[in-house]
């Protein structure tokens, strides 16, 4: 959302006569809209399943992390293993969201099951609950990028890499306005800063 917000502000200043429509959905739903040519492009993580009809332009790499408030007992950790979270009560993103899909892959690979007392498809509400200091969730590090109230503790698991990407339909006509918006997104500070270090 930081990348998108910065990009939208820049775009509207430069092209005030063009109307934008931004849709928030799961990546599967967005890819379906892309295939139906109802959206010009998708800003998401690269699909974990094969999508040969989709072009993916990498923006930055990201990882899943245990997200806690700065006051949480685990906030001092540099990283954490999934096995250490077994038996702990977590708030988790709903199935269908990319972070949850990635988490399910990692837990299945390790043969473990995590317990959740709440599952939500709304990241902001998850973070509001985590901010109380009583809860922890698992999200991508970008979910709390620039938010000083939280600590993102990377999951120390092999294969824990998510590629934030701009997704386009192969061979589809690209509007000039969409091309300009993409160029602006690629030049945002929010993208460039993430290429330096996600955890400092």
């Amino acid at each position: 959302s930081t990348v998108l917000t910065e990009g939208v502000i820049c775009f509207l200043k430069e092209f005030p006569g063009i109307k934008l429509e931004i849709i928030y959905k799961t990546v599967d739903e967005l890819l379906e809209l892309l295939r139906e040519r109802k959206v010009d492009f998708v800003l998401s993580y690269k699909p974990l399943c094969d999508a040969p009809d989709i072009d993916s332009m990498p923006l930055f790499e990201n990882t899943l992390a245990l997200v806690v408030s700065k006051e949480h007992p685990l906030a001092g950790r540099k990283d954490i293993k999934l096995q250490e979270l077994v038996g702990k009560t977590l708030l988790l993103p709903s199935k269908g969201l990319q972070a949850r899909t990635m988490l399910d892959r990692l837990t299945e690979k390790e043969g473990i099951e995590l317990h959740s007392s709440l599952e939500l498809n709304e990241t902001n509400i998850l973070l509001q609950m985590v901010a109380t200091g009583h809860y922890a969730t698992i999200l991508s590090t970008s979910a709390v990028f620039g938010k000083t109230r939280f600590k993102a503790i990377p999951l120390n698991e092999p294969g824990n890499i998510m590629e934030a990407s701009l997704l386009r339909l192969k061979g589809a006509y690209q509007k000039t306005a969409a091309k300009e918006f993409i160029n602006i997104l690629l030049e945002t500070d929010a993208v460039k800063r993430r290429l330096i270090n996600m955890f400092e």
Side-chain angles (χ1 to χ4, degrees), residues 135-149:
Y135 305 101
T137 188
I138 296 175
L139 296 168
S140 67
T141 53
S142 67
V144 293
F145 185 76
K147 293 180 170 72
T148 56
R149 299 166 66 188

Side-chain angles (χ1 to χ4, degrees), residues 175-186:
K175 298 172 191 169
T176 302
K179 289 178 185 175
E180 292 291 345
F181 191 46
I182 289 168
N183 288 336
I184 286 172
L185 283 176
L186 296 176

